[in-house]
């Protein structure tokens, strides 16, 4: 049996291609400071090789510039986007938004994206301190809004998603510092309404406070939440705060040998140096299955090791040691709990609670 029998291709979600693991932020809730692998930028020839195979082998219909790092730092970003388009693949850009200058935003507005995700995360000037940057918070927010306005003025159909920290269940994860995020409906209303009003203003929607309040009453933060505004081109994303698979834990982690994950079946990552890893959360390359520098993507996916891992997850068996740690816990009871939650999430909870805010 090969990967085409084990996994339906093209995979349901995306291939995460890490253009660079360099970042101009060092967020307290991110594993950037824990990353020990070499830092650098993907060779453009290697990038084209990866995109060619994804397209020719119909591995995925979409490529996300994401794993670690800030993709806007990549010195061949525009040619990379254009090359993905030339192979009839969708492209999603995930950025912290700090480098969205007017000049770069103008260039991006002329390109076609499936989606641009702005990882805003922090809510105010106080929590912005978690990002460990000298950038002025007001200037940062204003720049993101200006980018949204420019994209609208250009006539672009690109979806724009703003991501925030949902800390409602933060007590269930170990973080290296106190993380201030959206942890209640009151806080959600306080933070999200101004952004919704901004979208109304950009799109020229007539503002209806009553309809907006009625829609936002449906907010629940106990599962991933997505708020679509107007026709759904703009959205506010509130995924649950996560600990990167016990990455921040300073105590013993009891590995889990049962559990579920989307790895390979729906997504996987290719790091800037060509290492193929099981998922986009593997910040340090601990699940390296091979390198696309010397092998094809399909050869790696068809390897005995990858197929064992895929078949294991189908039976809720966790094969790889790093995955066992990822789904484990600081006690045997917590390990079992996280295992059960992972199975429930993959099968029942994965779908975001979607709230649609009326447009014109």
């Amino acid at each position: 049996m090969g990967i085409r029998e084990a996994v339906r291709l093209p995979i349901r979600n995306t291939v995460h291609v890490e253009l660079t693991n360099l970042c101009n932020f060092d967020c307290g809730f991110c594993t950037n400071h824990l990353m020990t692998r070499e830092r650098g930028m993907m060779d453009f020839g290697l990038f084209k090789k990866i995109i060619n195979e994804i397209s020719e082998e119909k591995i995925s219909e979409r490529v996300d510039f994401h794993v670690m790092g800030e993709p806007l730092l990549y010195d061949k970003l525009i040619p990379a986007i254009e090359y993905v388009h030339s192979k009839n693949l969708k492209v999603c850009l995930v950025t912290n938004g700090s480098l969205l200058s007017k000049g770069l935003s103008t260039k991006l507005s002329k390109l076609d994206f499936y989606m641009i995700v702005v990882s805003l995360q922090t809510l105010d000037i106080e929590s912005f301190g978690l990002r460990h940057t000298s950038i002025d918070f007001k200037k940062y927010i204003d720049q993101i809004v200006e980018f949204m306005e420019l994209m609208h003025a250009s006539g672009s159909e690109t979806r724009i998603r703003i991501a925030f920290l949902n800390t409602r269940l933060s007590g269930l994860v170990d973080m290296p510092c106190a993380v201030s995020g959206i942890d209640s409906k009151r806080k959600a209303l306080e933070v999200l309404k101004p952004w919704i009003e901004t979208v109304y203003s950009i799109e020229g929607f007539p503002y209806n406070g009553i309809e907006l309040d009625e829609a936002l009453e449906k907010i629940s933060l106990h599962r991933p939440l997505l708020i679509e505004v107007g026709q759904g081109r703009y959205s506010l994303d509130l995924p649950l705060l996560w600990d990167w698979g016990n990455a921040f834990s300073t105590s013993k982690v009891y590995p889990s040998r049962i559990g579920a994950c989307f790895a390979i079946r729906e997504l996987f990552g290719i790091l800037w140096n060509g290492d193929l890893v099981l998922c986009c959360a593997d910040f340090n390359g601990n699940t390296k299955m091979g390198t696309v520098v010397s092998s094809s993507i399909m050869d790696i996916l068809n390897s005995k090791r990858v197929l064992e891992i895929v078949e294991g997850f189908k039976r809720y068996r966790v094969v790889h040691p790093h995955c066992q740690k990822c789904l484990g816990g600081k006690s045997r009871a917590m390990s079992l709990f996280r295992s059960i939650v992972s199975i429930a999430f993959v099968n029942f909870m994965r779908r975001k609670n979607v709230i649609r805010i009326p447009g014109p």
Side-chain angles (χ1 to χ4, degrees):
M1 181 182 67
I3 194 66
R4 291 193 186 277
E5 291 73 38
V7 176
R8 182 179 297 176
L9 297 181
I11 57 175
R12 179 173 177 176
N13 201 328
T14 186
V15 177
H16 293 264
V17 176
E18 180 187 78
L19 298 178
T20 178
N21 61 345
L22 298 169
C23 192
N24 59 332
F25 280 15
D26 191 18
C27 304
F29 47 84
C30 179
T31 52
N32 180 62
H33 63 285
L34 298 178
M35 186 167 48
T36 57
R37 61 186 170 95
E38 185 180 359
R39 303 194 185 228
M41 295 192 181
M42 183 174 283
D43 174 78
F44 195 61
L46 176 61
F47 173 81
K48 291 195 290 185
K49 176 180 185 288
I50 291 167
I51 299 303
N52 287 345
E53 187 174 0
I54 292 173
S55 175
E56 291 167 6
E57 295 290 345
K58 295 180 171 53
I59 295 170
S60 176
E61 296 176 347
R62 176 177 140 197
V63 172
D64 285 22
F65 293 157
H66 180 50
V67 176
M68 295 294 288
E70 171 50 57
L72 297 189
L73 290 171
Y74 188 54
D75 56 357
K76 293 181 175 62
L77 176 64
I78 303 301
I81 296 167
E82 293 173 338
Y83 196 77
V84 174
H85 289 157
S86 75
K87 297 301 175 179
N88 297 314
L89 297 172
K90 299 174 184 177
V91 60
C92 174
L93 176 68
V94 183
T95 173
N96 61 38
S98 64
L99 300 176
L100 289 171
S101 64
K102 186 172 183 179
L104 180 56
S105 294
T106 299
K107 292 178 182 178
L108 295 178
S109 71
K110 297 176 182 177
L111 300 172
D112 181 33
F113 293 88
Y114 169 75
M115 183 182 296
I116 294 178
V117 180
V118 180
S119 187
L120 181 66
Q121 308 297 359
T122 43
L123 315 177
D124 48 38
I125 191 168
E126 182 178 356
S127 60
F128 190 64
L130 286 170
R131 312 208 75 169
H132 300 117
T133 176
S134 60
I135 296 172
D136 179 76
F137 179 68
K138 185 178 184 304
K139 180 181 178 182
Y140 173 62
I141 297 299
D142 289 345
Q143 185 170 263
I144 293 172
V145 173
E146 289 170 6
F147 164 72
M148 295 167 64
E149 292 173 338
L150 196 152
M151 292 293 286
H152 173 72
S154 72
S156 170
E157 294 298 320
T158 297
R159 303 179 188 182
I160 298 176
R161 180 167 294 178
I162 311 294
F164 300 85
L165 287 172
N166 177 353
T167 56
R168 183 66 182 88
L169 301 180
S170 60
L172 298 178
V173 295
D174 284 329
M175 298 300 291
C177 58
V179 179
S180 176
I182 296 177
D183 58 2
S184 66
K185 181 179 285 190
R186 179 194 62 79
K187 191 67 175 178
L189 295 174
E190 176 186 319
V191 172
L192 301 179
K193 283 184 74 172
W195 281 98
I196 294 170
E197 291 167 5
T198 295
V199 172
Y200 269 73
S201 176
I202 292 172
E203 291 285 322
F205 296 167
Y207 180 73
N208 188 319
I210 296 176
E211 285 189 357
L212 177 58
D213 289 343
E214 288 177 350
L216 293 178
E217 276 301 311
K218 302 174 186 176
I219 283 179
S220 172
L221 300 173
H222 291 87
R223 58 185 289 192
L225 172 65
L226 183 69
I227 299 177
E228 296 182 343
V229 184
Q231 305 302 316
R233 184 176 157 217
Y234 295 90
S235 58
L236 309 178
D237 192 21
L238 285 80
L240 295 172
L241 180 68
W242 190 57
D243 59 9
W244 295 78
N246 290 297
F248 302 113
S249 179
T250 57
S251 57
K252 177 181 178 179
V253 174
Y254 290 82
S256 174
R257 290 176 174 79
I258 63 172
C261 182
F262 307 123
I264 298 294
R265 290 183 294 168
E266 296 196 14
L267 57 87
F268 60 89
I270 301 177
L271 307 182
W272 73 268
N273 65 349
D275 289 350
L276 189 151
V277 295
L278 293 178
C279 77
C280 61
D282 184 3
F283 66 93
N284 231 1
N286 291 308
T287 63
K288 175 183 174 181
M289 295 290 107
T291 173
V292 299
V293 173
S294 55
S295 301
S296 70
I297 298 173
M298 289 300 291
D299 282 347
I300 297 172
L301 295 181
N302 277 309
S303 66
K304 180 181 178 182
R305 183 61 167 160
V306 169
L307 293 174
E308 287 175 345
I309 291 168
V310 171
E311 288 304 310
F313 276 129
K314 285 183 178 180
R315 302 190 306 272
Y316 305 126
R317 298 292 183 266
V318 186
V319 174
H320 197 284
H322 184 74
C323 302
Q324 292 175 356
K325 178 187 175 184
C326 177
L327 295 176
K330 54 188 176 183
S331 67
R332 288 187 175 86
M334 181 57 74
S335 178
L336 177 60
F337 173 76
R338 285 171 65 110
S339 298
I340 294 171
V341 168
S342 73
I343 295 171
F345 184 82
V346 167
N347 288 288
F348 310 112
M349 299 168 57
R350 59 180 299 176
R351 293 178 182 173
K352 295 176 184 287
N353 176 25
V354 179
I355 296 175
R356 292 179 173 83
I357 305 299

